Amino acid sequence: DGGITQSPKYLFRKEGQNVTLSCEQNLNHDAMYWYRQDPGQGLRLIYYSQIVNDFQKGDIAEGYSVSREKKESFPLTVTSAQKNPTAFYLCASSIALPDTQYFGPGTRLTVL
Amino acid sequence: KNQVEQSPQSLIILEGKNCTLQCNYTVSPFSNLRWYKQDTGRGPVSLTIMTFSENTKSNGRYTATLDADTKQSSLHITASQLSDSASYICVVRTLTGGGNKLTFGTGTQLKVEL
């Protein structure tokens, strides 16, 4: 069963704590992405990675960090420096940078 | 500034009826335009992709149109079903140095009722 998975589906954290969101794909895609979705706004790009061991900041990278140690995995850490972390986070992957992006099911993060 | 605007913001229709969603963009230079369907609490799924030279593209009951001159696109849904209830997002790709700049619209929330 191929695809892109995110876990957990719902995540609750206390203010000031770092939290890591998981994203895994078995599509053999080189490129992976993290987006944030807020009500009434379009998706905004946080970070993207074209290839293993390489990643670039997107439009709203402040307060977030990523790693790409394996082709299949692209975890996102929401740090305490992110001022408004409560949101729906979407991970995506594509064969290469300009190709069709396939999205995971998302993780809803709520910071209390 | 690159922008993608969608209308209406929300729409309620009866099952079996048709509807048309609009997307206007100011993205330049234009590469392609894609329509996604996003069910509540799920990730978006691609419906159609259109390049500069394409005017119309269909995917089952979904038909997208593109007018690159006026920078407008529409998504027409025929014979709507309850399962069409979702948010429909218009996404425009621009050709930048990095080759991967996407601008997302805020979506049209469609509800299909009995």
Side-chain angles (χ1 to χ4, degrees):
Chain A
D1 186 22
I4 181 166
T5 59
Q6 294 184 241
S7 61
K9 188 168 179 63
Y10 299 96
L11 191 54
F12 296 88
R13 278 295 181 270
K14 291 183 178 180
E15 192 173 342
Q17 290 181 334
N18 291 355
V19 61
T20 298
L21 282 60
S22 168
C23 177
E24 304 278 334
Q25 53 96 2
N26 60 6
L27 301 169
N28 201 31
H29 287 173
D30 281 322
M32 297 186 74
Y33 316 81
W34 273 105
Y35 292 92
R36 171 182 173 139
Q37 188 173 36
D38 295 283
Q41 295 192 44
L43 272 68
R44 292 181 289 170
L45 182 64
I46 303 172
Y47 268 97
Y48 66 98
S49 168
Q50 296 187 59
I51 200 167
V52 175
N53 293 322
D54 178 72
F55 50 83
Q56 306 294 330
K57 292 182 178 180
D59 299 321
I60 56 166
E62 184 176 351
Y64 300 97
S65 66
V66 293
S67 63
R68 187 83 188 277
E69 297 176 1
K70 298 188 299 181
K71 186 175 186 177
E72 303 79 20
S73 179
F74 191 41
L76 173 74
T77 297
V78 184
T79 75
S80 56
Q82 167 50 233
K83 298 189 185 309
N84 187 18
T86 294
F88 188 53
Y89 290 87
L90 286 161
C91 179
S93 69
S94 63
I95 296 174
L97 211 55
D99 294 316
T100 300
Q101 293 184 21
Y102 295 86
F103 286 85
T107 292
R108 185 166 299 279
L109 172 65
T110 302
V111 175
L112 306 171
Chain B
K1 180 181 177 183
N2 289 335
Q3 287 187 313
V4 175
E5 296 184 353
Q6 294 186 242
S7 63
Q9 189 173 15
S10 62
L11 182 62
I12 301 174
I13 62 174
L14 294 177
E15 187 181 29
K17 299 297 186 183
N18 303 336
C19 67
T20 299
L21 314 180
Q22 299 291 342
C23 174
N24 297 338
Y25 60 93
T26 60
V27 173
S28 181
F30 175 86
S31 177
N32 61 52
L33 183 148
R34 190 185 298 271
W35 284 92
Y36 279 95
K37 177 187 178 187
Q38 184 178 22
D39 293 318
T40 301
R42 305 300 300 269
V45 175
S46 179
L47 293 175
T48 65
I49 180 173
M50 303 186 72
T51 59
F52 186 87
S53 59
E54 295 175 303
N55 299 119
T56 303
K57 183 170 282 188
S58 292
N59 177 6
R61 295 180 296 103
Y62 301 102
T63 299
T65 66
L66 174 65
D67 186 335
D69 291 331
T70 62
K71 298 188 176 182
Q72 295 180 327
S73 177
S74 67
L75 180 69
H76 186 76
I77 304 175
T78 303
S80 61
Q81 301 175 359
L82 296 178
S83 60
D84 292 332
S85 296
S87 178
Y88 292 84
I89 302 171
C90 176
V91 186
V92 181
R93 183 184 294 277
T94 184
L95 293 171
T96 66
N100 189 39
K101 181 61 176 177
L102 297 179
T103 303
F104 289 78
T106 57
T108 291
Q109 189 68 45
L110 173 65
K111 185 173 183 180
V112 180
E113 295 181 338
L114 290 171

